[in-house]
Amino acid sequence: MAAMLHTIGVASPVASGGVFPDHQSNKFAVSSLHSLPMIRSEARSNLSSLHESYRAGKLIAKAVATKGENAAASGASKPGHELLLFEALREGLEEEMERDPRVCVIGEDVGHYGGSYKVTKGLAPKFGDLRVLDTPIAENSFTGMGIGAAMTGLRPVIEGMNMGFLLLAFNQISDNCGMLHYTSGGQFTIPAVIRGPGGVGRQLGAEHSQRLESYFQSIPGIQLVACSTPYNAKGLMKAAIRSENPVVLFEHVLLYNLKERIPDEEYVLNLEEAEMVRPGEHVTILTYSRMRYHVMQAVKTLVNKGYDPEVIDIRSLKPFDLYTIGNSVKKTHRVLIVEECMRTGGIGASLTAAINENFHDYLDAQIICLSSQDVPTPYAGTLEEWTVVQPPQIVAAVEQLCQ
Amino acid sequence: MALSTHRTTTALLRHLTPAVSYLRHISTDSTSTITVETSVPFTGHKIEPPSRSVDTTAQELMSFFRDMALMRRMEIAADSLYKAKLIRGFCHLYDGQEAVAVGMEAAITRKDCIITAYRDHCIFLGRGGTLLESFSELMGRKDGCSKGKGGSMHFYKKEGGFYGGHGIVGAQIPLGCGLAFAQKYKNDENVTFTLYGDGAANQGQLFEALNMAALWDLPAILVCENNHYGMGTAEWRAAKSPAYYKRGDYVPGLKVDGMDALAVKQACRFAKEHALKNGPIILEMDTYRYHGHSMSDPGSTYRTRDEISGVRQERDPIERVRKLLLAYDIANEKELKDIEKEARKQVDEAIAKAKESPLPEPSELFTNVYVKGYGVESFGADRKEIRAALP
């Protein structure tokens, strides 16, 4: 096991072509090299052969080369344990808080109440009131406080009870969180994590059903990730806490009760990597967060109709994992983006532009982007359903693409 | 020899005549205590104000004079550089307010944190910044404290405990409370001085942050540098209650004569002791800026020239220290003039050197956006292998 860890962790640098920035030993990488397996997303045999074919080029395709190694590495050898998504987030948070005394949680009702979605339940009695800080309802200033604390070296996890409330803190997130590393000439790093649930829930009303990934995506200096399963929720939470950059972790209100079996051993995921959910041949479907499940539902219908879609959960909203996405586009030549973000200026819009710019030659058809409608989310159930993308629409779009 | 063996307990600053003495009774390096009484008493809100008698030494007074002369010279030079278009954008000058910077430094250590808004050049100097770093940053050169990427409003010095340098009014206040939170978290017996202006005193985030600081007894000292004008609006036109030291309500406050470096020192020392034991305190520094709000503001459309020259005559911080030095016979006129000339020389040299400093490389556009220079490469899981190099 140790030898395999070594193979996974330490890859030889590419000798030709690559440009290496002179980044020094990164706490994140160093600790992960020595202590735990860096497990990539679930890979199937298609992907390994695909990557091997690209090995001929100047790039080492992936750290985990064969299916056999991967299966062993992903913890299938151990039974693992089953839990819900919010418990996975809590597990990740708790492990990081135990590991590093500088990690603290700041947010409304995170302490004694246990968190409005129970993500921080049980942490305050365990770590104390100072490390799991209940704040008054003052998003602008407690986000600012978290950032100020991060300037001195603490690693706060700032929780917004709903992503929409973080709009009040937008100045702090944009100017101080994103830009301080740059404007101070590299003197200060802001290793903060800003997390919270967003997205359309069950008739929560317009102000509590906002999809704000689009607002944050142009802030220079921050990274955006969106989790969708308990497995990647825990991995991304841990990666975000360990990252030296500010990370905004988008969760979804309706996904908190998803159940999945996750490995017992410790694992950290790569913040900038997309997840291959289902490899395929005909069309690439890019999605994230809750829409992944709508897509998978549509895929069942599509498979019955004879299509073979490739589904990728992009996970990293800023920066995009153009490597995985690009390889997929090169294979299938058709792209469908399914997202919950707003149509105008949303993640899908940026992704469409990025794919067009980089992979235009590989596209056989125009990119179709299915996003939420540009409306405030209505209260009425039927109207709310039609605000977000539904599986029948996805099926129709794939059929249109594959004509 | 009588002077050196007695402590003078009352020294009224306004009616001093320079003592002509051929014998130097107190040398410039003497560390024997001199007690001076501030000209204006402290006013407290929900707190017993400290005594008006401040202990100082000849050495300290000389350092006040030297530092303030340097700061004054630097700001005047920045004025000329701006008019010569070597400094662009926004340039907010601190001349007139130097006493706050030097008085605060005298009361604290470099482990305590200071965070302020955009009028940050002199505080940067006080925290250990050099003239070269300052001018290079103002002119956007590589040798600047933020490598030329921050500008006038973004001076930082991590080793000196100076956390900037912020452009958005009031946004530094929650950051300052965050610094205090980290100090409390680490239990390291240091305090944070969060400076803001009379304009920022009406921001909601101030009161939000104050509430949290008071709730958790954070060692935060909020200092309102009240120069009576928020850009072009006088304080009585912007605030219903311009008694900023009272605005904390449940948080004690102290009003200080901000043009008197010794009063500032006394207040900051008092505030530090208080904050370490009892939580936040507000200090209102009654100060004045001679320049306009920034270099684009002439500074005379909303106040009269008589007012500016009146304050310069009666309350100028450097003049006060000069009178003290002369009264206690620590230095004579010529020596003080020499110090000012020396300051001018240092500033001119720094400017010449800064002008030679190169502009940042074009590749610097993309450095320090992320901590690992993310730009065009996408890395593998262990961050060592390149997986793709994008155009």
Side-chain angles (χ1 to χ4, degrees), chain A residues 8-11 14 18-21 23 26 28-29 33 38 40 59-63 101-104 106 130-131 133-136 138-142 144-145 147-149 151-152 154 171-172 175-176 180-189 220-223 244-245 270 272-273 318-319 321-324 358, chain B residues 113 115 137 145-147 149-151 154-159 162-166 168-179 181-186 203-205 208-209 211-213 215-216 218 364-374 377-391:
Chain A
I8 297 172
V10 185
V14 179
V19 175
F20 284 90
H23 61 264
N26 167 18
F28 175 57
L33 284 179
M38 183 68 75
R40 291 165 41 93
L59 312 164
I60 292 183
K62 40 192 274 244
R102 297 171 303 171
V103 180
C104 54
I106 299 177
L130 201 62
R131 280 188 82 182
L133 193 65
D134 272 329
T135 66
E139 281 80 11
N140 192 359
S141 21
F142 73 69
M145 258 186 64
I147 296 167
M151 281 169 93
T152 66
L154 287 193
N171 173 44
Q172 298 288 350
D175 293 355
N176 294 329
L180 259 174
H181 186 61
Y182 192 83
T183 56
S184 66
Q187 289 181 63
F188 295 108
T189 61
I222 62 173
Q223 285 187 263
E244 291 298 319
N245 293 309
N270 185 351
E272 288 128 20
E273 195 190 340
K318 180 182 167 94
D321 181 5
L322 286 178
Y323 182 71
T324 310
N358 290 304
Chain B
C113 306
I115 188 171
E137 186 62 35
C145 53
S146 305
K147 301 196 191 143
K149 299 204 279 196
H154 298 286
F155 280 24
Y156 301 90
K157 191 149 190 89
K158 188 168 187 186
E159 314 83 59
F162 181 52
Y163 288 78
H166 296 274
I168 304 291
V169 169
Q172 78 275 14
I173 303 172
L175 286 186
C177 289
L179 298 173
F181 173 73
Q183 287 169 332
K184 186 172 176 114
Y185 193 97
K186 295 183 208 167
Q203 275 262 322
Q205 32 189 341
E208 291 179 17
N211 176 39
M212 288 195 276
L215 198 57
W216 301 317
L218 301 182
E364 283 281 321
L365 182 61
F366 296 108
T367 58
N368 295 133
V369 180
Y370 292 97
V371 174
K372 275 165 293 296
Y374 154 74
E377 290 98 2
S378 164
F379 291 99
D382 59 359
R383 297 256 184 184
K384 276 193 173 230
E385 54 168 349
I386 290 193
R387 294 170 55 212
L390 301 169

